[in-house]
Amino acid sequence: MCRTDLHLRDAEIPATKLPVVLGHQIVATTPDGVRVGVPWLGWTDGTCQYCTSGRENLCVNARFTGRDIDGGYAELTVADERYCLPLPEELSDQEAAPLLCGGLIGYRALSFTGDAERLGLYGFGSAAHMICQLAVFQGREVFAFTRPGDERTQTFARSLGAAWAGGSDEAPPEPLDAALIFAPAGPLVPKALEALAPDGVVVCAGIYMSDIPAFPYELLYHERKLRSVANLTRRDGEEFLAVAPKVPIRTTVTVYELERAEEALADLRAGRFEGTAVIVP
Ligand SMILES: [Zn+2]
Ligand SMILES: [Zn+2]
């Protein structure tokens, strides 16, 4: 389960096909016995200016699993094998599923921070709990920002190697070289810029965000950068799934039976679990 499922469920991002079966982090076995991952990028045209320049994540005719193509909240699904990802044997189905969106798009967001040493993570949910482990593995110093007063999640972040954890209303003890924003809250953008050292970058990693409030130009000046991340390429998937078992990235999962999918969405909306919810048939 991914927060995008919830945004689709709540009509915060438009569904292009209704009804649609949600779910774009599918771990499944093909009829000929191969275990594969089916990610959000379900199909591209292969011919547009983005596809032909290594940026298939921006394909103008892209079709996405669980939005344009029926997804994984099901016993059976149909996927184009060219977009399925190989899964490392070391990972169980439940460990692998969260890597397929939050992990993967988090990986793409992290790649836009270059060799930034001091990394802020705003919103410490599914994606951040995986990217924190990878960033620590790469020798970066991680600063985790949670909802103010959410000590449980701050403790969780420290247990995964974060050097510091606090509320998003707090300033980090040192300026950040980069910040990734996973929470869908626009007011975090000026907050993150405020915490940033000159030439730092803020990367918005979500598909949806509430409006960003106006902020003084001073926060962006000194060559600070603000950008977003959209979707993934198959290359991101292959690279990330290769490195994940080396870290190794441990995913914290809460398991729901398929019949309880709506309850799982409600729990995600209310922030009632740590890590990622996984739906099993
Ligand atoms: Zn294309
Ligand atoms: Zn997703």
Side-chain angles (χ1 to χ4, degrees), residues 140-176:
R140 305 178 199 243
E141 208 175 351
V142 174
F143 300 80
F145 298 83
T146 70
R147 286 179 190 152
D150 186 353
E151 279 166 30
R152 191 182 59 153
T153 305
Q154 290 165 17
T155 304
F156 179 54
R158 281 188 287 264
S159 77
L160 296 175
W164 177 91
S168 57
D169 57 341
E170 292 174 50
E174 299 169 58
L176 307 172

CSV table of all heavy atoms in Angstrom, one decimal, residues 140-176:
chain,number,residue,atom,x,y,z
A,140,ARG,N,25.9,8.9,5.0
A,140,ARG,CA,25.3,10.3,5.2
A,140,ARG,C,24.8,10.4,6.6
A,140,ARG,O,24.5,9.4,7.3
A,140,ARG,CB,24.2,10.5,4.2
A,140,ARG,CG,24.5,10.3,2.7
A,140,ARG,CD,23.3,10.5,1.9
A,140,ARG,NE,23.4,9.9,0.6
A,140,ARG,CZ,23.4,10.7,-0.5
A,140,ARG,NH1,23.3,12.0,-0.5
A,140,ARG,NH2,23.4,10.1,-1.7
A,141,GLU,N,24.6,11.6,7.0
A,141,GLU,CA,24.1,11.9,8.3
A,141,GLU,C,22.6,12.3,8.1
A,141,GLU,O,22.3,13.2,7.4
A,141,GLU,CB,24.8,13.1,9.0
A,141,GLU,CG,24.8,13.1,10.5
A,141,GLU,CD,25.7,14.2,11.0
A,141,GLU,OE1,26.4,14.9,10.3
A,141,GLU,OE2,25.6,14.4,12.2
A,142,VAL,N,21.7,11.5,8.8
A,142,VAL,CA,20.3,11.7,8.5
A,142,VAL,C,19.6,12.5,9.7
A,142,VAL,O,19.8,12.2,10.9
A,142,VAL,CB,19.6,10.4,8.3
A,142,VAL,CG1,18.1,10.5,8.2
A,142,VAL,CG2,20.1,9.7,7.1
A,143,PHE,N,18.8,13.5,9.3
A,143,PHE,CA,18.0,14.2,10.2
A,143,PHE,C,16.5,14.0,9.9
A,143,PHE,O,16.1,14.3,8.8
A,143,PHE,CB,18.3,15.7,10.1
A,143,PHE,CG,19.8,16.0,10.4
A,143,PHE,CD1,20.8,15.8,9.5
A,143,PHE,CD2,20.2,16.5,11.7
A,143,PHE,CE1,22.1,16.0,9.8
A,143,PHE,CE2,21.5,16.7,12.0
A,143,PHE,CZ,22.5,16.5,11.0
A,144,ALA,N,15.8,13.4,10.8
A,144,ALA,CA,14.4,13.0,10.6
A,144,ALA,C,13.4,14.0,11.2
A,144,ALA,O,13.6,14.3,12.4
A,144,ALA,CB,14.2,11.6,11.1
A,145,PHE,N,12.5,14.4,10.4
A,145,PHE,CA,11.5,15.4,10.8
A,145,PHE,C,10.1,14.7,10.8
A,145,PHE,O,9.7,14.2,9.8
A,145,PHE,CB,11.4,16.6,9.9
A,145,PHE,CG,12.7,17.4,10.0
A,145,PHE,CD1,13.8,17.0,9.2
A,145,PHE,CD2,12.9,18.5,10.8
A,145,PHE,CE1,15.0,17.7,9.2
A,145,PHE,CE2,14.1,19.2,10.8
A,145,PHE,CZ,15.1,18.8,10.0
A,146,THR,N,9.4,14.7,11.9
A,146,THR,CA,8.1,14.1,12.0
A,146,THR,C,7.1,15.2,12.4
A,146,THR,O,7.4,16.3,12.6
A,146,THR,CB,8.1,13.0,13.1
A,146,THR,OG1,8.2,13.7,14.4
A,146,THR,CG2,9.3,12.1,13.0
A,147,ARG,N,5.8,14.7,12.5
A,147,ARG,CA,4.8,15.6,13.0
A,147,ARG,C,5.3,16.1,14.4
A,147,ARG,O,5.8,15.3,15.2
A,147,ARG,CB,3.4,14.9,13.2
A,147,ARG,CG,2.8,14.7,11.9
A,147,ARG,CD,1.4,14.0,12.1
A,147,ARG,NE,0.9,13.6,10.7
A,147,ARG,CZ,0.1,12.5,10.5
A,147,ARG,NH1,-0.3,11.7,11.5
A,147,ARG,NH2,-0.2,12.2,9.3
A,148,PRO,N,5.1,17.4,14.7
A,148,PRO,CA,5.5,17.9,16.1
A,148,PRO,C,5.0,17.0,17.2
A,148,PRO,O,3.8,16.6,17.2
A,148,PRO,CB,5.0,19.3,16.1
A,148,PRO,CG,4.9,19.7,14.7
A,148,PRO,CD,4.5,18.5,13.9
A,149,GLY,N,5.8,16.6,18.1
A,149,GLY,CA,5.3,15.8,19.3
A,149,GLY,C,5.2,14.3,19.0
A,149,GLY,O,4.9,13.6,19.9
A,150,ASP,N,5.5,13.9,17.8
A,150,ASP,CA,5.4,12.4,17.5
A,150,ASP,C,6.6,11.7,17.9
A,150,ASP,O,7.5,11.3,17.1
A,150,ASP,CB,5.1,12.2,16.0
A,150,ASP,CG,4.8,10.8,15.6
A,150,ASP,OD1,4.9,9.9,16.5
A,150,ASP,OD2,4.5,10.5,14.5
A,151,GLU,N,6.7,11.5,19.2
A,151,GLU,CA,8.0,10.9,19.8
A,151,GLU,C,8.2,9.5,19.4
A,151,GLU,O,9.3,9.0,19.2
A,151,GLU,CB,8.0,11.1,21.3
A,151,GLU,CG,8.4,12.5,21.7
A,151,GLU,CD,8.2,12.8,23.1
A,151,GLU,OE1,8.2,11.8,24.0
A,151,GLU,OE2,7.9,14.0,23.4
A,152,ARG,N,7.0,8.8,19.1
A,152,ARG,CA,7.1,7.4,18.7
A,152,ARG,C,7.9,7.2,17.4
A,152,ARG,O,8.8,6.4,17.3
A,152,ARG,CB,5.7,6.8,18.6
A,152,ARG,CG,5.6,5.3,18.5
A,152,ARG,CD,4.2,4.8,18.3
A,152,ARG,NE,3.5,5.4,17.2
A,152,ARG,CZ,2.5,4.9,16.5
A,152,ARG,NH1,2.0,3.7,16.9
A,152,ARG,NH2,2.0,5.5,15.4
A,153,THR,N,7.5,8.1,16.5
A,153,THR,CA,8.1,8.0,15.1
A,153,THR,C,9.6,8.5,15.2
A,153,THR,O,10.5,8.0,14.5
A,153,THR,CB,7.3,8.8,14.1
A,153,THR,OG1,6.0,8.3,14.1
A,153,THR,CG2,7.9,8.7,12.7
A,154,GLN,N,9.8,9.5,16.1
A,154,GLN,CA,11.2,10.0,16.3
A,154,GLN,C,12.1,8.9,16.8
A,154,GLN,O,13.2,8.7,16.4
A,154,GLN,CB,11.2,11.2,17.2
A,154,GLN,CG,10.6,12.5,16.4
A,154,GLN,CD,10.2,13.6,17.4
A,154,GLN,OE1,10.7,13.7,18.5
A,154,GLN,NE2,9.3,14.5,16.9
A,155,THR,N,11.6,8.1,17.7
A,155,THR,CA,12.4,7.0,18.3
A,155,THR,C,12.6,6.0,17.2
A,155,THR,O,13.7,5.4,17.1
A,155,THR,CB,11.6,6.4,19.5
A,155,THR,OG1,11.3,7.4,20.4
A,155,THR,CG2,12.4,5.2,20.1
A,156,PHE,N,11.6,5.7,16.4
A,156,PHE,CA,11.7,4.8,15.3
A,156,PHE,C,12.8,5.2,14.3
A,156,PHE,O,13.6,4.4,13.9
A,156,PHE,CB,10.3,4.7,14.6
A,156,PHE,CG,10.2,3.8,13.4
A,156,PHE,CD1,10.6,2.5,13.5
A,156,PHE,CD2,9.8,4.3,12.2
A,156,PHE,CE1,10.5,1.7,12.3
A,156,PHE,CE2,9.7,3.5,11.0
A,156,PHE,CZ,10.0,2.2,11.1
A,157,ALA,N,12.8,6.5,14.0
A,157,ALA,CA,13.9,7.1,13.1
A,157,ALA,C,15.3,6.9,13.7
A,157,ALA,O,16.2,6.5,13.0
A,157,ALA,CB,13.6,8.6,12.8
A,158,ARG,N,15.4,7.2,15.0
A,158,ARG,CA,16.7,7.0,15.6
A,158,ARG,C,17.1,5.5,15.6
A,158,ARG,O,18.3,5.2,15.4
A,158,ARG,CB,16.7,7.6,17.0
A,158,ARG,CG,16.8,9.1,17.0
A,158,ARG,CD,17.0,9.6,18.4
A,158,ARG,NE,15.8,9.5,19.2
A,158,ARG,CZ,14.9,10.5,19.4
A,158,ARG,NH1,15.2,11.7,18.8
A,158,ARG,NH2,13.8,10.4,20.0
A,159,SER,N,16.2,4.6,15.7
A,159,SER,CA,16.5,3.2,15.7
A,159,SER,C,17.0,2.7,14.3
A,159,SER,O,17.6,1.7,14.2
A,159,SER,CB,15.2,2.4,16.1
A,159,SER,OG,14.3,2.3,15.1
A,160,LEU,N,16.7,3.5,13.3
A,160,LEU,CA,17.1,3.2,11.9
A,160,LEU,C,18.4,3.9,11.5
A,160,LEU,O,18.8,3.9,10.4
A,160,LEU,CB,16.0,3.4,10.9
A,160,LEU,CG,14.7,2.6,11.1
A,160,LEU,CD1,13.7,3.0,10.1
A,160,LEU,CD2,15.1,1.1,10.9
A,161,GLY,N,19.0,4.6,12.5
A,161,GLY,CA,20.3,5.2,12.3
A,161,GLY,C,20.3,6.7,12.1
A,161,GLY,O,21.3,7.3,11.8
A,162,ALA,N,19.1,7.4,12.2
A,162,ALA,CA,19.1,8.8,12.1
A,162,ALA,C,19.9,9.4,13.2
A,162,ALA,O,19.8,9.0,14.4
A,162,ALA,CB,17.6,9.3,12.2
A,163,ALA,N,20.7,10.4,12.9
A,163,ALA,CA,21.6,11.1,13.9
A,163,ALA,C,20.8,12.0,14.8
A,163,ALA,O,21.1,12.3,15.9
A,163,ALA,CB,22.6,11.9,13.2
A,164,TRP,N,19.7,12.5,14.3
A,164,TRP,CA,18.8,13.4,15.0
A,164,TRP,C,17.4,13.2,14.5
A,164,TRP,O,17.1,12.9,13.4
A,164,TRP,CB,19.3,14.9,14.7
A,164,TRP,CG,18.4,15.9,15.3
A,164,TRP,CD1,18.6,16.5,16.6
A,164,TRP,CD2,17.3,16.6,14.8
A,164,TRP,NE1,17.7,17.5,16.8
A,164,TRP,CE2,16.8,17.6,15.7
A,164,TRP,CE3,16.6,16.5,13.6
A,164,TRP,CZ2,15.7,18.4,15.5
A,164,TRP,CZ3,15.5,17.3,13.3
A,164,TRP,CH2,15.0,18.2,14.3
A,165,ALA,N,16.4,13.4,15.4
A,165,ALA,CA,15.0,13.3,15.0
A,165,ALA,C,14.2,14.3,15.9
A,165,ALA,O,14.5,14.5,17.1
A,165,ALA,CB,14.4,11.9,15.3
A,166,GLY,N,13.4,15.1,15.2
A,166,GLY,CA,12.6,16.1,15.9
A,166,GLY,C,11.3,16.4,15.1
A,166,GLY,O,11.0,15.8,14.1
A,167,GLY,N,10.6,17.4,15.6
A,167,GLY,CA,9.4,17.9,14.9
A,167,GLY,C,9.7,18.7,13.7
A,167,GLY,O,10.8,19.4,13.6
A,168,SER,N,8.8,18.7,12.7
A,168,SER,CA,9.0,19.5,11.5
A,168,SER,C,9.0,21.0,11.8
A,168,SER,O,9.4,21.9,11.0
A,168,SER,CB,8.0,19.2,10.5
A,168,SER,OG,6.7,19.4,11.0
A,169,ASP,N,8.6,21.4,13.0
A,169,ASP,CA,8.6,22.8,13.4
A,169,ASP,C,9.9,23.2,14.1
A,169,ASP,O,10.1,24.3,14.4
A,169,ASP,CB,7.4,23.1,14.4
A,169,ASP,CG,7.5,22.2,15.7
A,169,ASP,OD1,8.2,21.1,15.6
A,169,ASP,OD2,6.9,22.6,16.7
A,170,GLU,N,10.8,22.2,14.2
A,170,GLU,CA,12.1,22.5,14.8
A,170,GLU,C,13.2,22.7,13.8
A,170,GLU,O,13.1,22.2,12.7
A,170,GLU,CB,12.6,21.3,15.7
A,170,GLU,CG,11.7,21.1,16.9
A,170,GLU,CD,12.1,19.8,17.7
A,170,GLU,OE1,13.3,19.6,18.0
A,170,GLU,OE2,11.2,19.0,18.0
A,171,ALA,N,14.3,23.4,14.2
A,171,ALA,CA,15.4,23.6,13.3
A,171,ALA,C,16.4,22.5,13.6
A,171,ALA,O,16.5,22.1,14.7
A,171,ALA,CB,16.1,24.9,13.5
A,172,PRO,N,17.0,21.9,12.6
A,172,PRO,CA,18.0,20.8,12.8
A,172,PRO,C,19.2,21.5,13.5
A,172,PRO,O,19.5,22.7,13.4
A,172,PRO,CB,18.4,20.3,11.4
A,172,PRO,CG,18.1,21.5,10.5
A,172,PRO,CD,16.9,22.2,11.1
A,173,PRO,N,20.0,20.7,14.2
A,173,PRO,CA,21.2,21.2,14.9
A,173,PRO,C,22.3,21.8,14.0
A,173,PRO,O,23.1,22.6,14.4
A,173,PRO,CB,21.8,20.0,15.7
A,173,PRO,CG,21.1,18.8,15.1
A,173,PRO,CD,19.8,19.2,14.5
A,174,GLU,N,22.3,21.3,12.7
A,174,GLU,CA,23.2,21.8,11.7
A,174,GLU,C,22.4,22.1,10.5
A,174,GLU,O,21.4,21.4,10.2
A,174,GLU,CB,24.3,20.8,11.4
A,174,GLU,CG,25.1,20.3,12.5
A,174,GLU,CD,26.0,19.1,12.1
A,174,GLU,OE1,26.7,19.2,11.1
A,174,GLU,OE2,25.8,18.0,12.7
A,175,PRO,N,22.9,23.0,9.6
A,175,PRO,CA,22.2,23.2,8.3
A,175,PRO,C,22.3,21.9,7.4
A,175,PRO,O,23.3,21.2,7.6
A,175,PRO,CB,22.9,24.3,7.6
A,175,PRO,CG,23.9,24.8,8.6
A,175,PRO,CD,24.1,23.8,9.7
A,176,LEU,N,21.3,21.7,6.6
A,176,LEU,CA,21.2,20.5,5.8
A,176,LEU,C,21.8,20.8,4.4
A,176,LEU,O,21.7,21.9,3.9
A,176,LEU,CB,19.8,20.1,5.6
A,176,LEU,CG,19.0,19.9,6.9
A,176,LEU,CD1,17.5,19.6,6.6
A,176,LEU,CD2,19.5,18.7,7.7
